[in-house]
Amino acid sequence: QLLLTSAVLLLAAACGMPIGYSAVLLPQLYDTNESLAIDIEMGSWIASVHSLATPIGSFASGPIMDRWGRRPALLLAIIPLFTGWVLLATASSHVLLLLGRMVAGVSVGLIAAPAQVLLAEIAEPRLRGLLIGAPFVAYSLGILLVYALGSQLHWRAVAWGGTVLPALSFVAIYFAPESPTWLARNNQQDRASKALTWLRGCPIAAKKELQKLTERFEQEQEQERLDGSPQSFWHSLKEIALIKPLVIINGFHVLQILSGTYLVVFYAVDLISDLGGSDINTIQAAVLTAIVRLAFTFLYCFLLLLMPRRSMVCISGLISGASCIAIAIFMYVRSGEPTASYHTYVAATLILIYIGSNTGFLTMPGIMIGELLPAKIRGQIAGYLFTVFNLLLFGVAKGFPYAKAVLKTQGLFVMFGVASFGASLLMYLLLPETKGRTLHDIEDYFGQRNWLWMKRPRKETAPTTPRSADPEGQPLKVIVPST
């Protein structure tokens, strides 16, 4: 499991680099001495076009990974990522810059859903949170890497450096096994058995797990026969077991974007310049924020092993919201006054607290998409969810410079704070605690009638088999969380 995750981590780091590249590229292109100098309008397009293109890949990724498998979908997606970097490195016009950003964006969209679904399907319940969250460490490492390269190198040299990780990840994933869940649901039992044996290291455990996967699939097929026809994708959208995860995931996506999780990545240099004044080296400060984001993402991955998901995301949101409001108050009080030496230290402390706490939001969408969606349409729905997410992200990223001109930086941080508090409230009310639960248990929980987590049934009704004897754990509905 760790070996396969490591292969995906290489690819996740490769995806993080184009996300952070705009923070490196734009300051250099705003220089009037640059041959491809730009104005604010072109700069906003270069920053946001990546997010505009990503939904194209996300939309296509669901059918591709359901038809050909998770692993082939990832291999296919690496090709445009490599091509996008080459286009950026050799660009001779603004059109080619935009094209390179678009091609890389399509690739990131193609990668996101298959990577999260693959890790969710190969992981044991006790390791699933760590393994699904680990790509976000690599993702943050990719952002840090591109910031670090951009602080020392010309943007073309940074683009050439961006081709290395896609090439390495292609080789690593080529030798990785396919998802046993996908294989079992596509009548490839021998390959599923071999993949599970390799992943678990124990033929007996692999046989038992494959039997459960097969039984679940057969139950779904039997239900379809009783209904008289195979269940269509659109019919599945009417099921309560899917509606509830969609509300939770999409609601969190909106609030996460408005909390600034990605906007601070795209416009790191601009925001830090406004916050810290002219006395701060903005490029070095952007690198420092990326280091903080990487360190906290690493921390959150281990917290996923030690504490409930709900507690982690709620606490992250509360601290993030409080720090944003504090930043807004600090900027309002300081406005119009001469910059004092202590202002830089206060600004740095507040922004680092905000980035550190808000990073907890970064890991949650992947975890929720991997854990909350029903297995029978997990691949297809995951792709569409990432499509909606990236369309929202594009709109917000494109409008950010104009919102900043109207609201000013302090107004933006008020918005970040309110959205952070809202995300915490949403997760507290609706998100079930999934730590240590099997994907089957989570799917069964969403089939119940309750929407609020605190209103779930507390007692098991006449079980035929004592669940305590099941090594996969008890159903979600009998768990009493700490929050």
Side-chain angles (χ1 to χ4, degrees):
Q1 296 174 72
L2 295 178
L3 285 174
L4 194 153
T5 302
S6 298
V8 176
L9 293 185
L10 280 174
L11 188 53
C15 290
M17 292 187 69
I19 295 292
Y21 187 61
S22 61
V24 169
L25 179 63
L26 296 185
Q28 295 190 37
L29 293 183
Y30 283 137
D31 187 346
T32 55
N33 295 322
E34 172 63 45
S35 59
L36 292 178
I38 59 172
D39 56 20
I40 188 173
E41 174 66 17
M42 179 56 66
S44 71
W45 275 108
I46 290 174
S48 61
V49 74
H50 180 279
S51 299
L52 176 63
T54 302
I56 300 172
S58 299
F59 190 81
S61 66
I64 290 173
M65 70 167 141
D66 274 354
R67 176 66 179 84
W68 288 291
R70 289 42 166 147
R71 176 177 159 273
L74 291 175
L75 292 173
L76 176 66
I78 294 172
I79 298 172
L81 182 58
F82 186 92
T83 304
W85 281 119
V86 173
L87 286 171
L88 287 167
T90 58
S92 57
S93 67
H94 294 156
V95 173
L96 290 176
L97 280 176
L98 292 172
L99 181 61
R101 293 281 290 164
M102 286 187 67
V103 172
V106 170
S107 177
V108 172
L110 284 168
I111 290 167
Q116 294 300 134
V117 171
L118 175 62
L119 292 180
E121 291 180 345
I122 64 98
E124 297 176 72
R126 63 188 178 89
L127 294 176
R128 192 172 58 243
L130 174 63
L131 298 189
I132 297 178
F136 293 95
V137 177
Y139 179 87
S140 298
L141 181 60
I143 295 173
L144 171 60
L145 179 59
V146 81
Y147 281 179
L149 291 174
S151 68
Q152 302 295 325
L153 301 175
H154 189 266
W155 58 268
R156 292 188 188 273
V158 175
W160 282 118
T163 63
V164 175
L165 289 180
L168 293 176
S169 61
F170 186 92
V171 175
I173 292 174
Y174 180 82
F175 292 102
E178 178 57 89
S179 161
T181 300
W182 184 86
L183 292 170
R185 298 180 73 86
N186 284 270
N187 299 315
Q188 300 186 41
Q189 303 299 318
D190 290 340
R191 287 186 63 194
S193 178
K194 291 177 181 178
L196 274 171
T197 301
W198 186 83
L199 288 166
R200 303 293 181 255
C202 175
I204 298 175
K207 183 178 180 180
K208 180 179 179 181
E209 188 169 344
L210 179 59
Q211 182 180 357
K212 292 184 177 182
L213 287 172
T214 304
E215 289 176 354
R216 186 81 173 195
F217 182 48
E218 290 174 348
Q219 289 173 4
E220 292 175 5
Q221 289 183 314
E222 179 63 25
Q223 184 61 47
E224 289 180 355
R225 283 193 290 268
L226 292 174
D227 292 340
S229 62
Q231 195 174 64
S232 68
F233 171 77
W234 297 109
H235 187 273
S236 298
L237 292 179
K238 300 176 183 178
E239 294 182 0
I240 191 68
L242 180 59
I243 293 174
K244 289 195 285 188
L246 290 180
V247 170
I248 295 171
I249 295 171
N250 284 318
F252 184 79
H253 276 167
V254 172
L255 292 170
Q256 179 200 29
I257 292 171
L258 294 178
S259 75
T261 303
Y262 292 93
L263 293 175
V264 172
V265 175
F266 292 157
Y267 294 98
V269 174
D270 293 342
L271 285 172
I272 292 171
S273 178
D274 292 342
L275 186 60
S278 58
D279 296 334
I280 188 170
N281 185 316
T282 53
I283 294 293
Q284 291 181 0
V287 173
L288 179 59
T289 63
I291 292 174
V292 171
R293 185 180 297 107
L294 173 63
F296 273 89
T297 307
F298 190 80
L299 172 64
Y300 284 124
C301 282
F302 280 96
L303 288 178
L304 288 169
L305 282 176
L306 303 175
M307 66 185 297
R309 314 264 200 267
R310 286 163 46 82
S311 298
M312 190 196 79
V313 70
C314 290
I315 293 172
S316 295
L318 292 175
I319 298 176
S320 172
S323 61
C324 285
I325 299 300
I327 290 171
I329 294 173
F330 167 75
M331 295 192 70
Y332 178 77
V333 171
R334 195 194 64 177
S335 62
E337 295 183 359
T339 301
S341 58
Y342 72 89
H343 286 172
T344 299
Y345 297 104
V346 173
T349 300
L350 291 175
I351 196 70
L352 292 180
I353 292 173
Y354 162 64
I355 291 173
S357 57
N358 189 264
T359 301
F361 284 179
L362 191 65
T363 61
M364 287 307 297
I367 291 175
M368 291 192 292
I369 287 173
E371 290 186 336
L372 306 189
L373 299 175
K376 59 184 176 182
I377 53 172
R378 183 178 296 135
Q380 198 167 359
I381 286 292
Y384 296 154
L385 283 172
F386 277 108
T387 300
V388 173
F389 170 76
N390 284 290
L391 285 173
L392 290 170
L393 184 58
F394 163 74
V396 175
K398 182 67 176 67
F400 177 82
Y402 306 100
K404 182 170 172 282
V406 173
L407 299 176
K408 309 303 180 184
T409 304
Q410 54 264 46
L412 288 175
F413 276 100
V414 170
M415 180 186 75
F416 293 168
V418 172
S420 297
F421 289 136
S424 290
L425 180 61
L426 177 71
M427 295 294 97
Y428 177 78
L429 293 176
L430 301 184
L431 182 68
E433 183 50 62
T434 59
K435 183 178 185 295
R437 302 302 100 201
T438 69
L439 297 179
H440 297 330
D441 286 341
I442 298 168
E443 187 174 339
D444 290 340
Y445 165 77
F446 280 116
Q448 300 174 31
R449 297 183 63 86
N450 64 292
W451 275 83
L452 300 179
W453 171 242
M454 65 280 295
K455 296 294 185 180
R456 68 199 180 282
R458 301 288 179 142
K459 295 182 179 180
E460 181 71 24
T461 56
T464 56
T465 304
R467 296 293 301 201
S468 59
D470 188 342
E472 292 188 336
Q474 296 179 331
L476 278 169
K477 56 188 175 184
V478 302
I479 299 174
V480 179
S482 58
T483 60

